[in-house]
Amino acid sequence: TGGGNTAIGYKSGENLTTGGNSVMIGNEAGNGVSTTFYHVLIGDHAGHKTLADHGTTAVGYYALANATSGGYNTAIGYQALEDNVSGEYSTALGYQSLANATGGSNTAIGYQSGVSLTTGVNNTFVGDKSGDGTDDGSNNVAIGYTALSANCGSSNVALGSYAMRLSTGDENV
């Protein structure tokens, strides 16, 4: 009964019932979308299990593939935000950026940036592999190649390639 939807591809938008104004293009893209609105899901399995709130954008193979709740996320790249099952307001740009993140309000730009982040929130990672070993830290800023790449702490700021790469403490600059 929904309206304004476009679904192209095998099982794309297959479970759509009342949701609307969404675009789902690719093999099983948006397969789980049923009652939510304003999704753009492009790529093989992009937003595959998306039952999430409104306003999700996923472009790339398995981008936001396992999202089940939470919304207003943007994932662009192969497996970007793939396992973000409940986080909201996150942005991932790059191959596997924030691939395992379940927390919200995270931003990652670059190849595997924030790839290991799980429950952490309010992190910003810019640069290839920046924050790639951070798992549950929150409120971190890492800018540069592998900056904060093995960090488990919170409230850190690391600027420059390899900056605080092996740091595990909190509130460092």
Side-chain angles (χ1 to χ4, degrees), residues 3-5 19-23 33 35-41 53-57 72-73:
N5 296 299
N21 300 358
S22 293
V23 175
V33 174
T35 60
T36 57
F37 296 82
Y38 313 114
H39 297 298
V40 176
L41 308 170
D53 291 334
H54 313 305
T56 297
T57 301
Y72 311 101
N73 293 302

Side-chain angles (χ1 to χ4, degrees), residues 29-94:
N31 183 269
V33 174
S34 59
T35 60
T36 57
F37 296 82
Y38 313 114
H39 297 298
V40 176
L41 308 170
I42 300 172
D44 188 7
H45 289 84
H48 173 65
K49 294 182 182 177
T50 298
L51 303 172
D53 291 334
H54 313 305
T56 297
T57 301
V59 178
Y61 180 80
Y62 274 86
L64 262 168
N66 297 313
T68 55
S69 65
Y72 311 101
N73 293 302
T74 301
I76 300 174
Y78 177 92
Q79 295 178 329
L81 274 169
E82 178 183 10
D83 289 328
N84 183 35
V85 294
S86 59
E88 301 183 302
Y89 313 114
S90 290
T91 301
L93 174 60

